[in-house]
Amino acid sequence: MIQDILKYQYLQYALITSVLVSLVAGLIGVIIVEKKQVMLTGGIAHTSYGGVGLGYLLGFEPLLGAFIFAVTAALGSNLIKNRMTGVSDVIIAIFWSLGMSLGILFIGLIPGYPPDVTSYLFGNILSVTTLNLVLMAIITLIVLIVIVVFFQDWRAHLFDPEFTTIRGKRTKLMENILLFLIAITVVALIRVVGIILVIALLSIPAATASLLTRKLHLRMILAVLFGLMFTIFGLFISAYTMLSSGAVIVIFGFAVYIITYLGTRYLIRVKKVEAV
Amino acid sequence: MSNLIQINDLCVKYGKIEALRDLNLTINEGEYIGIIGANGGGKSTLLKTILGLTKQYKGTITYNGTTLKKSNLSIGYVPQTNELNRMFPITVEEVVLTAKIPLKKSFFYRYSDEDHKEVNTVLEKVGLSKIKERQISDLSGGEFQKLLIARALALNPNILLLDEPTAMVDIKSQKQIYTLIKRLSREMTIVMVTHHVKDITKQAGKLIFLERNILAEGDPEEVYKYAYLKPVGVLNREPRSREVTRV
Ligand SMILES: Nc1ncnc2c1ncn2[C@@H]1O[C@H](COP(=O)(O)OP(=O)(O)OP(=O)(O)O)[C@@H](O)[C@H]1O
Ligand SMILES: [Mg+2]
């Protein structure tokens, strides 16, 4: 296995990718799970398919298209939500389906044979290009810096944004920054698990970590480690079996979550018995 | 007694829903005001508007005769607990510490010894200093309410706005919270929204009966009588003018 890694560049790229996406997915995943924005993130991910289609149609990098669509959807949905009240899940549904439809339309408009979009829909960690890698590295760096440097502010904001507003913090700005970070995280994850499974890589490591600790920063660290475990496992299974990396990552992650859940439940029961 | 907050002709709408209409209210320094009224009567909206959380409203609010920012007024706020995520991973002390994050230059912020000391003082005031390491998900309803009061106090407020601090709290904790607020009312101006009409009537210096507009205002006993001797369903009617309803 080590020899293979040293020998094949695509394996090296895939490994670096694992590290990068685990970092962003861990940090942002814990935040969206706490903020109950998993569905919003799913919506942003699916909207970005429109950008992938546009990229293919006009001949530029599809991930760049995904980036534009994801950021527009994230900030746009917030703008609309601030103007209207109580319709946020409808807005998500509209963005979600509109983005997918545009993607299908754009790809249908391409003359000749349609391009193979499965790696965007389902992800393939083994087909990461140098450009993808650079893009992911930049995204990871941005997310890491913004979250870590302002950690105290983020924690206060996530717990009670109203209170931070009263204190005079720029809550609206923070909200938009967070949505921007979610959007670029989605873009970073598309190559690995695909548009359809993005929310799995964001929610499963975070949810598993939440079973083990009740400290926000430890949750983030654990979520990163779980993400690393899931993606590297998926990477090797898919490298040696040709199975889809995205699907393997999600199913393996789900299994680890269940085992962790049962394990912690068992420990709690045992402890209670001891206490009696 | 100086005039701390002056509200003139305040109207607040959420889309088509009119939450407050033509409301006039003066909050004087040192007052202890209770606000009662039916669900949906606009009590929370009034507090939020005073805090500057409601952006779209008509009318004017002045703080010490000027705007909120220029007034140097520190307003403490205890929100309705059902608006907060009780499962959020954060400890008692960390919640109160959020009041100490500086407004600017908060990057890589680490709380100072001073911050910890001040937070400890307010936690002692509300009786939570023994459980400051505890996660908020492990608190009882009463303890969580006291925690929110402590966080508001950590801002060293001149005026404290409380939104139903005794809802979802058992009788014993209700008593403790009322005693606490009574004690605080000697140090600062208090405005408290509550559905526990009897308790607030005993304590407050002034009671306000609010349903879209102020329907009655003044001596707590009188307002209490007014609110309870009147038929239900006021919300569906046009609000009557204050002079007429003062009985
Ligand atoms: N964010 C919002 N969006 C839309 N309508 C709102 C919003 N907040 C309040 N309302 C409406 O405004 C009216 C006043 O609500 P408010 O929360 O101020 O009442 P309240 O007196 O605090 O009620 P309660 O006793 O139930 O807490 C209600 O009709 C409510 O439905
Ligand atoms: Mg209310």
Side-chain angles (χ1 to χ4, degrees), chain A residues 12 14 36 47 54 75-76 83 92 97 114 119 176 182 190 195 204 213-214 233 242 254 262:
Chain A
Q12 294 162 8
K36 309 205 176 359
T47 310
L54 192 66
L75 299 181
R83 299 258 180 295
I92 293 171
S97 45
S119 77
N176 283 322
I182 291 174
I190 285 176
I195 285 166
I204 299 175
T213 172
R214 296 197 296 179
F233 179 84
M242 304 308 287
F254 180 70
L262 294 176

Short mmCIF file of all heavy atoms in Angstrom, two decimals, chain A residues 12 14 36 47 54 75-76 83 92 97 114 119 176 182 190 195 204 213-214 233 242 254 262:
data_model
loop_
_atom_site.label_atom_id
_atom_site.label_comp_id
_atom_site.label_asym_id
_atom_site.label_seq_id
_atom_site.Cartn_x
_atom_site.Cartn_y
_atom_site.Cartn_z
N GLN A 12 -1.44 9.92 -4.17
CA GLN A 12 -0.92 11.02 -3.35
C GLN A 12 -1.92 12.17 -3.31
O GLN A 12 -2.23 12.71 -2.24
CB GLN A 12 0.41 11.51 -3.92
CG GLN A 12 1.51 10.49 -3.83
CD GLN A 12 2.68 10.80 -4.77
OE1 GLN A 12 2.73 11.87 -5.38
NE2 GLN A 12 3.60 9.87 -4.89
N ALA A 14 -5.06 11.98 -3.79
CA ALA A 14 -6.26 11.58 -3.05
C ALA A 14 -6.02 11.69 -1.54
O ALA A 14 -6.90 12.10 -0.78
CB ALA A 14 -6.65 10.15 -3.42
N LYS A 36 -28.35 23.87 12.86
CA LYS A 36 -29.46 23.24 12.16
C LYS A 36 -29.59 23.75 10.72
O LYS A 36 -30.65 24.12 10.25
CB LYS A 36 -30.77 23.46 12.92
CG LYS A 36 -30.66 23.07 14.39
CD LYS A 36 -31.98 22.72 14.99
CE LYS A 36 -31.92 22.23 16.41
NZ LYS A 36 -30.62 22.11 17.06
N THR A 47 -27.76 23.14 -5.70
CA THR A 47 -27.80 24.31 -6.58
C THR A 47 -26.53 24.40 -7.42
O THR A 47 -26.56 24.78 -8.59
CB THR A 47 -27.93 25.61 -5.74
OG1 THR A 47 -29.00 25.44 -4.83
CG2 THR A 47 -28.20 26.80 -6.63
N LEU A 54 -23.04 24.68 -16.36
CA LEU A 54 -22.63 25.90 -17.08
C LEU A 54 -21.15 25.84 -17.46
O LEU A 54 -20.76 26.21 -18.56
CB LEU A 54 -22.92 27.13 -16.21
CG LEU A 54 -22.82 28.47 -16.92
CD1 LEU A 54 -23.91 28.59 -17.98
CD2 LEU A 54 -22.94 29.63 -15.93
N LEU A 75 -25.76 33.21 -0.23
CA LEU A 75 -26.00 34.61 0.15
C LEU A 75 -27.39 35.05 -0.30
O LEU A 75 -28.07 35.81 0.39
CB LEU A 75 -24.92 35.51 -0.45
CG LEU A 75 -23.49 35.18 0.03
CD1 LEU A 75 -22.49 36.13 -0.59
CD2 LEU A 75 -23.40 35.22 1.55
N GLY A 76 -27.82 34.54 -1.46
CA GLY A 76 -29.15 34.89 -1.97
C GLY A 76 -30.26 34.41 -1.06
O GLY A 76 -31.20 35.15 -0.76
N ARG A 83 -35.90 39.30 4.02
CA ARG A 83 -37.01 40.13 3.53
C ARG A 83 -38.36 39.50 3.89
O ARG A 83 -39.33 40.17 4.11
CB ARG A 83 -36.94 40.28 2.01
CG ARG A 83 -35.67 40.95 1.52
CD ARG A 83 -35.90 42.40 1.15
NE ARG A 83 -34.69 43.03 0.68
CZ ARG A 83 -33.62 43.24 1.42
NH1 ARG A 83 -33.59 42.82 2.67
NH2 ARG A 83 -32.55 43.84 0.91
N ILE A 92 -35.16 27.05 0.25
CA ILE A 92 -34.17 26.00 0.04
C ILE A 92 -34.63 25.07 -1.08
O ILE A 92 -33.87 24.74 -2.00
CB ILE A 92 -33.94 25.20 1.34
CG1 ILE A 92 -33.26 26.09 2.39
CG2 ILE A 92 -33.09 23.95 1.07
CD1 ILE A 92 -33.18 25.46 3.77
N SER A 97 -34.00 22.75 -6.43
CA SER A 97 -34.51 22.18 -7.68
C SER A 97 -34.14 23.03 -8.88
O SER A 97 -33.86 22.51 -9.96
CB SER A 97 -36.02 21.99 -7.58
OG SER A 97 -36.62 23.14 -7.04
N PRO A 114 -22.84 13.90 -24.39
CA PRO A 114 -22.80 14.64 -23.13
C PRO A 114 -21.57 14.22 -22.31
O PRO A 114 -21.14 13.07 -22.39
CB PRO A 114 -24.09 14.22 -22.43
CG PRO A 114 -24.45 12.91 -23.02
CD PRO A 114 -23.92 12.92 -24.43
N SER A 119 -18.90 11.92 -11.71
CA SER A 119 -17.93 12.19 -10.65
C SER A 119 -18.31 13.45 -9.89
O SER A 119 -17.92 13.63 -8.74
CB SER A 119 -16.51 12.29 -11.21
OG SER A 119 -16.34 13.53 -11.83
N ASN A 176 -23.35 36.17 7.06
CA ASN A 176 -22.99 36.06 5.65
C ASN A 176 -21.62 35.41 5.45
O ASN A 176 -21.43 34.63 4.52
CB ASN A 176 -23.03 37.45 4.99
CG ASN A 176 -24.45 37.89 4.71
OD1 ASN A 176 -25.30 37.07 4.33
ND2 ASN A 176 -24.75 39.16 4.92
N ILE A 182 -19.72 28.06 4.22
CA ILE A 182 -20.47 26.83 3.92
C ILE A 182 -20.44 26.57 2.41
O ILE A 182 -20.19 25.45 1.97
CB ILE A 182 -21.92 26.94 4.42
CG1 ILE A 182 -21.96 26.95 5.96
CG2 ILE A 182 -22.77 25.78 3.89
CD1 ILE A 182 -23.35 27.19 6.55
N ILE A 190 -17.22 18.51 -3.25
CA ILE A 190 -17.89 17.92 -4.41
C ILE A 190 -17.04 16.83 -5.08
O ILE A 190 -17.52 15.76 -5.40
CB ILE A 190 -18.28 19.01 -5.44
CG1 ILE A 190 -19.49 19.79 -4.92
CG2 ILE A 190 -18.58 18.41 -6.80
CD1 ILE A 190 -19.90 20.95 -5.80
N ILE A 195 -22.04 15.96 -5.24
CA ILE A 195 -23.09 16.89 -4.83
C ILE A 195 -24.14 16.21 -3.96
O ILE A 195 -24.58 16.74 -2.94
CB ILE A 195 -23.76 17.47 -6.11
CG1 ILE A 195 -22.82 18.51 -6.74
CG2 ILE A 195 -25.11 18.07 -5.81
CD1 ILE A 195 -23.18 18.90 -8.16
N ILE A 204 -22.11 13.48 9.18
CA ILE A 204 -21.79 12.24 9.92
C ILE A 204 -20.58 12.40 10.85
O ILE A 204 -20.66 12.04 12.02
CB ILE A 204 -21.63 11.04 8.96
CG1 ILE A 204 -22.94 10.79 8.21
CG2 ILE A 204 -21.26 9.77 9.75
CD1 ILE A 204 -22.87 9.71 7.16
N THR A 213 -18.12 14.12 22.88
CA THR A 213 -17.69 15.26 23.71
C THR A 213 -18.71 16.38 23.65
O THR A 213 -19.43 16.53 22.66
CB THR A 213 -16.32 15.81 23.29
OG1 THR A 213 -16.08 17.02 24.01
CG2 THR A 213 -16.27 16.12 21.80
N ARG A 214 -18.76 17.16 24.74
CA ARG A 214 -19.66 18.30 24.76
C ARG A 214 -18.89 19.61 24.83
O ARG A 214 -19.34 20.60 25.37
CB ARG A 214 -20.62 18.15 25.94
CG ARG A 214 -21.50 16.92 25.76
CD ARG A 214 -22.69 16.95 26.64
NE ARG A 214 -22.30 16.91 28.04
CZ ARG A 214 -23.18 16.95 29.03
NH1 ARG A 214 -24.45 17.08 28.77
NH2 ARG A 214 -22.76 16.89 30.26
N PHE A 233 -10.40 5.56 4.45
CA PHE A 233 -10.97 4.23 4.26
C PHE A 233 -11.63 4.14 2.89
O PHE A 233 -11.38 3.22 2.11
CB PHE A 233 -11.99 3.95 5.38
CG PHE A 233 -12.65 2.61 5.27
CD1 PHE A 233 -12.05 1.47 5.79
CD2 PHE A 233 -13.89 2.47 4.64
CE1 PHE A 233 -12.66 0.23 5.69
CE2 PHE A 233 -14.51 1.23 4.53
CZ PHE A 233 -13.89 0.11 5.06
N MET A 242 -12.70 -0.47 -7.21
CA MET A 242 -13.44 0.29 -8.21
C MET A 242 -14.84 0.69 -7.73
O MET A 242 -15.66 1.15 -8.52
CB MET A 242 -13.59 -0.48 -9.55
CG MET A 242 -12.28 -0.93 -10.17
SD MET A 242 -11.10 0.43 -10.32
CE MET A 242 -11.82 1.33 -11.67
N PHE A 254 -21.47 5.97 8.33
CA PHE A 254 -22.72 5.64 8.99
C PHE A 254 -22.52 4.48 9.97
O PHE A 254 -23.00 4.52 11.11
CB PHE A 254 -23.78 5.28 7.95
CG PHE A 254 -25.11 4.93 8.55
CD1 PHE A 254 -25.89 5.92 9.14
CD2 PHE A 254 -25.57 3.63 8.56
CE1 PHE A 254 -27.11 5.61 9.71
CE2 PHE A 254 -26.79 3.31 9.13
CZ PHE A 254 -27.57 4.30 9.71
N LEU A 262 -24.05 3.12 19.81
CA LEU A 262 -24.35 1.97 20.68
C LEU A 262 -23.33 1.87 21.80
O LEU A 262 -23.67 1.59 22.95
CB LEU A 262 -24.40 0.68 19.86
CG LEU A 262 -25.55 0.61 18.84
CD1 LEU A 262 -25.46 -0.67 18.01
CD2 LEU A 262 -26.90 0.69 19.55
#
